[in-house]
Amino acid sequence: MRIHELAKELNIDSKELIKKLKDLNFPVKNHMSSVDDETAEVIKHEIEAMDKREIESNVIEVDFPITVKDLAVKLGKKSSELLGDLIKQGKFFTINQNLDEKMSSEIAYFYKVNLKKKPSREEKILRVEPKNLKKRAPIVTLMGHIDHGKTSILDYIRKSKVTEKETGGITQHIGAYQVVLDKGRITFLDTPGHETFTAMRARGANATDIVVIVVAADEGVKPQTIEAIDHAKAAGVPIIVAINKIDRPNINIDMVKQQLSKIELVPEDWGGKTTTLGVSAKTGEGIDQLLELIILHADILELKADFERMALGVVIEGRLSKGKGSIATILVREGKLNVGDWCVCGLYWGRVRAMYDDRGQSCQQALPSFPAEISGLNGVPNPGEQLIVVPDEKSAREIAEKRREEAKSKKLSPKTHLKLEDLYKKVKEDNLKQFKIILKADVGGTLEAVEGALRKIPSKEVELVITHKGVGAVNSSDVLLAEVTDSVIVGFKVTIDGQIRELAKRKGIEVRSYQIVYELIDDVKGAVEGLLTPQIKRTFLGRARIKTVFNLSKAGIIAGCIVEKGKVTRGSFCHVFRDNEVIFEGKVQTLKRVKDDVKEVTEGLECGIGVNYDKIKDGDIIDVFREETIARRLK
């Protein structure tokens, strides 16, 4: 093969190809030099790799969408030249037309340029590489059933009567408290329940490092305990179980451990991996060991943070004060938060005017894992919103305004989660192989029966995961958990309140309710079957041998063939063979008999076949198949 022929195949100028070959140390003199077929294939591979490296290294950052005129400037081309090249490619645009990221990138790739979205001011701030990583305190959340002693344990640890400040001894708002021990510090989040914990996660705030599930030794695992455990599991954080109230007479710790084992939290002393510990918030028994366990888990996790960068934090609580205005409790995750810093928090911005620690004392600085109450924002942020410190007022105002615009667009097009009907489509797009369900039933016996029937649905490819199961009506906690885990809520003989349906609709969560168990099982089974990769059946139709190859100006590369066996049909799937190896897979795009377009050509006749592959040669074999997609069913 001549060099100029190879250049034509590669769609580049002969001089440019010769220059590239010299860079690759291939000995060529001019465009009439010859190379054998094997060398030609090596050259093609090397040139493609060289072009790919060139494109990857030639990166230009732009803002999307971008006009054709601005794109031409970025590519170093005249607008008329760019428009002309696009017309040759069959793309018709005007000079001021906006192009999205996908279209712009395709156009730039033709000019061997890799377009990259220009990072926003916020992304530049968040992208700072950590330089001064140091050990930080673990952040621990206490969760569990109401009145099982979460705040009482924290109260004993802090040696201050937190419960006396709360109505009826029940936590009414989120508190963040840091305790100092001989072996280190621990920051505790005392929340009113798992709903707030998951609501924070729904906003992208994974503030907790370790979860302590509190279970009363005399009452055992309650439905709210199970909900809390499922929310903690969904967060993927280590769980420690504190069995509280061991000072009481009527306790049964083995019963509690048995209940924990049934919900896949097998205690370590029973051969499992879950750390359990008996404690008493009243006498203090086991509290020191609990703190040591938390420090031990933190050491294993190797928790570190950058202490020198501009601060990043998470909102634990937001409220409006008569005297101070907007108040936000912030848990610092990275860097140092100082009084006087400009910051953005959710949709609001401002300057830190004052800062107080967890005991109400004024402070000037908050380090990683340190909880602080700040004032100075121009609005009240929601729990879970991210706080970022920015260089100046202009940056703060700009980022907050952009976030407001994004929030408006999200309201216009709310996020949709998984639906039973589109599971197969989602598998093809995202390679999804898990089908997650939140299951609710009217009574415990029915719940176990329905769960057992669902788990018997056979499939090696698709894992059916029950994210959470419970007795009673579908509630807001279920919707929040479904939002975070991308689950479908399935209820059997349970009520679904109108407000809950509205909440689920607003968040794009599918909620299905059934009265007949067979309908529930059939729907889930059908959804799982939709997840299975369909079976492709191919039936041999015919074989054609290429006698000669034509390069037509309008039709492109056409193979002049004779049908040796069976028949060739237009639109059928085909393989192109050379030396018994498949070199191309595709479809029969065009089929001609003499000068006429035909649907099929039978054995013994000559025809012209177009397969949209320009590297076919005389002697290649084209095998044609009929392709059927068979939906696979579960047996």
Side-chain angles (χ1 to χ4, degrees), residues 25-245:
N25 295 320
F26 276 94
V28 290
K29 294 181 179 178
N30 53 46
H31 69 283
M32 293 301 292
S33 300
S34 297
V35 292
D36 56 42
D37 289 347
E38 187 177 342
T39 305
E41 289 300 321
V42 172
I43 289 173
K44 290 175 189 177
H45 178 76
E46 290 292 337
I47 295 296
E48 286 173 4
M50 179 187 280
D51 289 344
K52 190 175 180 181
R53 287 194 299 270
E54 184 181 344
I55 292 169
E56 287 175 353
S57 63
N58 190 11
V59 179
I60 296 177
E61 291 186 344
V62 299
D63 288 315
F64 296 108
I66 185 171
T67 64
V68 174
K69 181 180 178 181
D70 291 339
L71 180 60
V73 172
K74 291 288 184 181
L75 296 174
K77 303 286 180 182
K78 291 181 179 178
S79 299
S80 57
E81 183 184 352
L82 178 59
L83 288 169
D85 288 343
L86 291 174
I87 289 170
K88 289 177 184 176
Q89 297 171 35
K91 297 172 182 175
F92 299 92
F93 298 105
T94 61
I95 194 168
N96 293 317
Q97 188 168 341
N98 279 328
L99 303 173
D100 60 18
E101 185 173 356
K102 184 180 178 183
M103 181 57 69
S104 304
S105 298
E106 286 178 5
I107 294 169
Y109 195 86
F110 179 78
Y111 296 101
K112 297 179 181 177
V113 173
N114 185 15
L115 289 188
K116 192 175 180 182
K117 187 177 180 181
K118 199 172 184 178
S120 64
R121 194 183 291 263
E122 180 180 351
E123 288 170 335
K124 286 179 181 177
I125 294 169
L126 294 174
R127 200 186 284 177
V128 176
E129 289 292 326
K131 295 178 181 177
N132 189 23
L133 289 175
K134 293 181 184 177
K135 184 178 177 181
R136 66 170 176 82
I139 300 163
V140 181
T141 298
L142 277 73
M143 296 165 65
H145 189 69
I146 189 171
D147 201 32
H148 273 203
K150 301 187 298 292
T151 307
S152 297
I153 291 173
L154 184 64
D155 171 51
Y156 188 89
I157 293 170
R158 295 181 65 240
K159 302 294 184 184
S160 61
K161 301 298 181 182
V162 176
T163 50
E164 291 178 2
K165 299 175 187 176
E166 307 291 357
T167 306
I170 300 171
T171 308
Q172 300 298 314
H173 64 275
I174 302 172
Y177 314 99
Q178 190 170 85
V179 295
V180 182
L181 308 169
D182 293 337
K183 294 183 179 179
R185 295 172 180 262
I186 302 174
T187 299
F188 286 95
L189 300 184
D190 182 25
T191 73
H194 48 273
E195 288 188 34
T196 308
F197 175 83
T198 303
M200 290 175 65
R201 288 188 56 234
R203 294 190 180 97
N206 295 321
T208 304
D209 300 313
I210 300 167
V211 168
V212 175
I213 300 291
V214 180
V215 185
D218 57 344
E219 294 185 28
V221 174
K222 296 289 185 181
Q224 196 178 21
T225 314
I226 296 172
E227 286 189 10
I229 290 168
D230 286 338
H231 283 247
K233 283 181 178 178
V237 294
I239 296 173
I240 298 173
V241 179
I243 304 173
N244 192 27
K245 304 184 181 181

Side-chain angles (χ1 to χ4, degrees), residues 294-311:
I294 291 170
I295 294 292
L296 179 63
H297 272 71
D299 289 341
I300 293 170
L301 292 171
E302 295 183 344
L303 303 171
K304 292 182 179 180
D306 186 346
F307 279 64
E308 297 302 326
R309 63 158 295 158
M310 289 191 291

